[in-house]
Amino acid sequence: MDLLLEATRRAEAEHFWFKGFRAFVAPLVARAAAAHPPRRLLDCGCGTGVNLPMLAQYGTAYGFDLTWTGLKFAKDHGTRRLAQASVVQVPFRSEAFDLVTCFDVLQCLVPETGRQVLTEFHRILAPGGHLVMNVAALELLRGDHAVLAEEAHRYERGELHAMVEAAGFHVERLTFTNASLFPVMFGSRWWQRRRGLKPAAEAHGEISIPSAPVNQVLAGVLRCEASLVRRIDMPIGSSLLLLAQKR
């Protein structure tokens, strides 16, 4: 996981995927904040902490991560409300937060553990609070990146919907994202599986920034898709983006 965090830290400011991710996520966070104005927000598995300033626009933002490497990077963003902990046992009291986020963490756990994590998120949310979550989608997109990210399971849409509802949430929005890049990703990851997946130490190129013209074009494509996702759900993609409210 440290290899992933180090590669992410180098790329997250400029890489087209991270720019697209923020374009997809920010409107859902804003929607949740408008519906139930938060005072305390928590990013679970905050990684390098790059998303905490976005959350801090709406209230007091906290974060925790399992890795010390992630927390060291998070401090570089000026964030001090940090803890080292696991999403399986969140070290905060019940109903402590109004908005909880969790980005690209659940796929690193087997589904049974994922159910426990969703129960923890439900516990720490105040009544009416919201969960915004992003997870890797579709096992047919498993490739070298899955090794680097230590993915245990990529989710189907219906599967994730059922898990979140069973944990005591009402799903308000659930859509695929990165649909515009799906054909390219499907082809490249099919080839990676066919020739054999690289070990994590050799897969860091999955998060390297492409040439400037290519990076700009792909970032623009994802921004356009993000504008569309504000109005309609995508039928397929490499990620699932969810907004749910605690019942």
Side-chain angles (χ1 to χ4, degrees), residues 82-99:
L82 298 167
Q84 187 172 20
S86 167
V87 290
V88 180
Q89 292 182 308
V90 181
F92 295 100
R93 62 178 173 82
S94 298
E95 301 184 0
F97 296 95
D98 305 295
L99 177 60

Side-chain angles (χ1 to χ4, degrees), residues 68-234:
W68 182 243
T69 299
L71 296 176
K72 286 193 295 184
F73 289 149
K75 288 181 179 179
D76 292 341
H77 291 287
T79 303
R80 292 295 179 267
R81 299 182 181 91
L82 298 167
Q84 187 172 20
S86 167
V87 290
V88 180
Q89 292 182 308
V90 181
F92 295 100
R93 62 178 173 82
S94 298
E95 301 184 0
F97 296 95
D98 305 295
L99 177 60
V100 166
T101 60
C102 184
F103 302 132
D104 295 306
V105 173
L106 209 66
Q107 66 257 23
C108 299
L109 309 167
V110 296
E112 184 55 40
T113 305
R115 294 184 184 93
Q116 298 175 36
V117 169
L118 290 170
T119 300
E120 276 289 89
F121 293 167
H122 187 273
R123 177 185 66 80
I124 62 175
L125 269 170
H130 282 87
L131 169 66
V132 178
M133 188 165 62
N134 193 75
V135 304
L138 306 176
E139 283 292 337
L140 57 81
L141 292 180
R142 182 170 294 277
D144 290 342
H145 183 274
V147 179
L148 180 64
E150 299 181 13
E151 292 176 0
H153 181 72
R154 299 180 67 96
Y155 282 84
E156 301 287 340
R157 187 181 188 279
E159 175 189 23
L160 184 63
H161 188 285
M163 284 178 60
V164 173
E165 290 271 345
F169 292 94
H170 168 63
V171 174
E172 295 185 357
R173 187 81 198 277
L174 178 56
T175 179
F176 285 101
T177 60
N178 304 309
S180 51
L181 303 183
F182 179 83
V184 174
M185 295 179 71
F186 174 78
S188 66
R189 293 185 179 181
W190 173 85
W191 171 248
Q192 289 170 1
R193 293 194 304 275
R194 183 175 175 84
R195 57 107 161 111
L197 300 183
K198 294 179 180 179
E202 299 176 16
H204 54 81
E206 288 290 302
I207 310 183
S208 60
I209 302 174
S211 65
V214 172
N215 195 57
Q216 290 173 6
V217 168
L218 294 177
V221 168
L222 290 180
R223 282 196 300 270
C224 291
E225 183 184 333
S227 297
L228 191 59
V229 165
R230 292 187 184 203
R231 298 185 294 275
I232 65 171
D233 291 343
M234 293 291 105

Side-chain angles (χ1 to χ4, degrees), residues 45-57:
C46 64
T48 66
V50 71
N51 298 308
L52 289 169
M54 173 183 65
L55 300 183
Q57 299 175 63

